[in-house]
Amino acid sequence: MSEPVLAVGFPAAAEVGALAVTRASFRCCYPNLCLKVILGYTNEVKIGMSGGPIFNAKGFLIGINCRGKYRDPTFGVYAFEDGSEPTAELLEKMVTFSWVIPISIYLQFASFHLGSYR
């Protein structure tokens, strides 16, 4: 699970309109975190890049940036779908990754809440 990916976005601290493209690779998958499946990756997502696309090496859209590394763990973003919290050991690992919502999860959500995407 170390597929190379590109994350794209407009960091808040950059010049207006400055596009950032960074390389990363996937490192983990948490199947019951908040939105059913969240992928952790090594990218340095900056504030303002949330909502930006994640592309695989073939140029396919595979996800959406949702959270950068080292966010405040008391903010609730690391809670599992059933309301449980990760162990201290697991949380220590989880905060070291940026997070991606897989495009397949987004499409399921959009289809259910907004109608069919086909």
Side-chain angles (χ1 to χ4, degrees):
M1 179 171 231
S2 62
E3 176 184 9
V5 296
L6 294 176
V8 181
F10 293 92
E15 284 184 39
V16 174
L19 183 67
V21 179
T22 58
R23 298 177 72 90
S25 60
F26 286 116
R27 293 292 184 218
C28 61
C29 175
Y30 294 100
N32 291 311
L33 190 68
C34 304
L35 298 166
K36 298 195 184 276
V37 177
I38 300 288
L39 301 173
Y41 68 120
T42 60
N43 194 311
E44 295 294 334
V45 174
K46 307 226 182 309
I47 293 174
M49 291 179 70
S50 294
I54 304 291
F55 297 102
N56 68 9
K58 295 179 182 176
F60 292 107
L61 176 65
I62 59 169
I64 301 169
N65 277 317
C66 66
R67 178 139 331 261
K69 297 177 180 182
Y70 301 107
R71 297 304 294 258
D72 180 2
T74 62
F75 189 58
V77 298
Y78 300 105
F80 292 101
E81 201 172 25
D82 66 2
S84 65
E85 299 283 333
T87 63
E89 183 180 338
L90 179 56
L91 182 61
E92 189 175 314
K93 291 178 186 176
M94 292 171 79
V95 299
T96 66
F97 294 108
S98 295
W99 296 94
V100 174
I101 299 169
I103 199 64
S104 59
I105 298 298
Y106 171 78
L107 292 174
Q108 288 173 13
F109 176 85
S111 177
F112 181 77
H113 293 284
L114 304 174
S116 178
Y117 58 87
R118 293 179 188 212

